[in-house]
Amino acid sequence: PVLLPSNAVEHSYERKSVSVDGLRLNYVSAGSGPPVVLIHGNPGSHQDYTLAVVGKLSESNHAIAIDRPGHGYSERHDSVETTVEVQARIIRDALRKLGVEKPVLVGHSWGGSLVLAAAVANQDEFSSIVLLAPAAYPSTNAEWWSLLPHLPVLGPFVVNTLTPLLGRVLVKSSLQEAYHPQAVNEDYVQRSAEMWTRPGQVRACAYDERTLAASLRLLSPHYSGIKIPVVIVTGADDLLLEPKSHAYTLHKTIPHSKLVVLPLTGHQLPQARPDAVIEAIGAAWRAVEE
């Protein structure tokens, strides 16, 4: 069996929701103190953080992990162009409704793109941002499978019939790559296989995959204008988002940013290196106070 990191404590959190644009967004929260908002990747859910981060983080912060639209238990309008910019606006609106002021906004992978989009749109709403293995630039092509759910006739067949059969195999394979060089957490694989292969989440994940590069082309010229504290964390052995193409370049673009490179570490930072995630959040708060 694969064990969680020694400092990881599994908890069960009550799911709550907030309504934005007629959609129910799911979130969990724990603790009190300075607010920290946690955004997952693609695919993913709040469970990316409740597995190993929220418990420890909530000892000194008000930790809030949100399911992005169409992911986890959050709703999504299929008819709406739900780009990363739109999702960033929805998350910002949700935080205002919840009365969450000036949080540290944390994003992993695709969630890092969302955090960058939110900071570009209105950085004054946040104390600082933390980017975990962020997708910052349009340097990677969309995966072939992201086109399938939107094909006439074939798309619904793939999503409704083949995904439940093939999805679990694909989930485990992709997570092995994401966790590399560390061992996969089997409990997380099981949860992910159940959640990620639901038709609605497959469609959301495919759309998010397919549209991200175009959004990043528009967003990336504005990164140099981000003036709030920025902490970037990347695994030296990340196989999914090559650090030099994303984290390193982003660090050079935002001169005051802090870059943390973790040796012998891959892409799946919230589960594989929760200690580094919590330390990065602490560094972000310290930078605010300087």
Side-chain angles (χ1 to χ4, degrees):
V2 179
L3 300 177
L4 285 172
S6 59
N7 62 344
V9 180
E10 179 64 293
H11 293 278
S12 177
Y13 298 95
E14 178 190 357
R15 297 205 315 267
K16 305 173 184 177
S17 66
V18 57
S19 180
V20 179
D21 291 356
L23 298 172
R24 284 189 305 107
L25 283 190
N26 177 75
Y27 69 97
V28 299
S29 68
S32 60
V36 178
V37 177
L38 306 160
I39 308 296
H40 61 82
N42 191 49
S45 75
H46 68 279
Q47 292 179 353
D48 289 19
Y49 294 101
T50 56
L51 192 69
V53 171
V54 171
K56 182 69 175 176
L57 182 62
S58 65
E59 294 175 7
S60 53
N61 290 267
H62 178 201
I64 305 158
I66 300 179
D67 288 341
R68 293 194 290 106
H71 297 264
Y73 298 94
S74 287
E75 296 176 338
R76 175 167 173 154
H77 294 307
D78 271 349
S79 60
V80 174
E81 296 281 300
T82 316
T83 61
V84 69
E85 297 97 324
V86 170
Q87 292 189 46
R89 194 264 306 159
I90 290 172
I91 296 296
R92 287 167 51 218
D93 288 349
L95 295 178
R96 279 195 290 270
K97 276 202 165 186
L98 293 172
V100 177
E101 297 181 356
K102 301 285 281 188
V104 168
L105 189 62
V106 181
H108 173 235
S109 193
W110 202 102
S113 308
L114 187 153
V115 168
L116 285 165
V120 166
N122 198 340
Q123 59 186 304
D124 292 339
E125 293 183 8
F126 310 104
S127 289
S128 62
I129 60 175
V130 176
L131 305 163
L132 309 172
Y137 298 96
S139 61
T140 55
N141 295 320
E143 295 283 351
W144 61 268
W145 55 263
S146 68
L147 301 174
L148 295 179
H150 302 276
L151 295 176
V153 183
L154 180 60
F157 172 75
V158 169
V159 170
N160 296 320
T161 307
L162 294 184
T163 298
L165 299 175
L166 300 176
R168 291 171 184 271
V169 176
L170 292 173
V171 166
K172 180 148 190 177
S173 173
S174 66
L175 283 175
Q176 285 173 335
E177 190 175 18
Y179 268 88
H180 173 86
Q182 284 132 330
V184 173
N185 181 282
E186 294 294 343
D187 181 48
Y188 180 71
V189 170
Q190 181 65 28
R191 295 182 191 200
S192 299
E194 293 172 2
M195 188 171 290
W196 295 357
T197 55
R198 296 177 306 178
Q201 183 142 341
V202 171
R203 285 192 295 271
C205 179
Y207 182 89
D208 291 350
E209 170 77 11
R210 202 160 45 87
T211 59
L212 184 61
S215 290
L216 291 177
R217 282 189 203 98
L218 297 174
L219 290 168
S220 52
H222 301 285
Y223 295 160
S224 60
I226 298 175
K227 304 303 181 186
I228 59 174
V230 178
V231 180
I232 306 163
V233 186
T234 188
D237 299 299
D238 191 330
L239 298 179
L240 299 188
L241 290 171
E242 209 282 319
K244 290 182 180 177
S245 301
H246 293 272
Y248 284 61
T249 304
L250 186 62
H251 174 51
K252 292 176 183 175
T253 303
I254 306 177
H256 62 278
S257 61
K258 176 182 180 181
L259 175 64
V260 179
V261 181
L262 304 173
L264 301 174
T265 302
H267 185 72
Q268 208 68 7
L269 301 181
Q271 297 93 44
R273 291 299 306 273
D275 55 330
V277 172
I278 292 166
E279 171 53 35
I281 293 167
W285 279 125
R286 290 192 293 274
V288 173
E289 296 166 0
E290 290 177 356

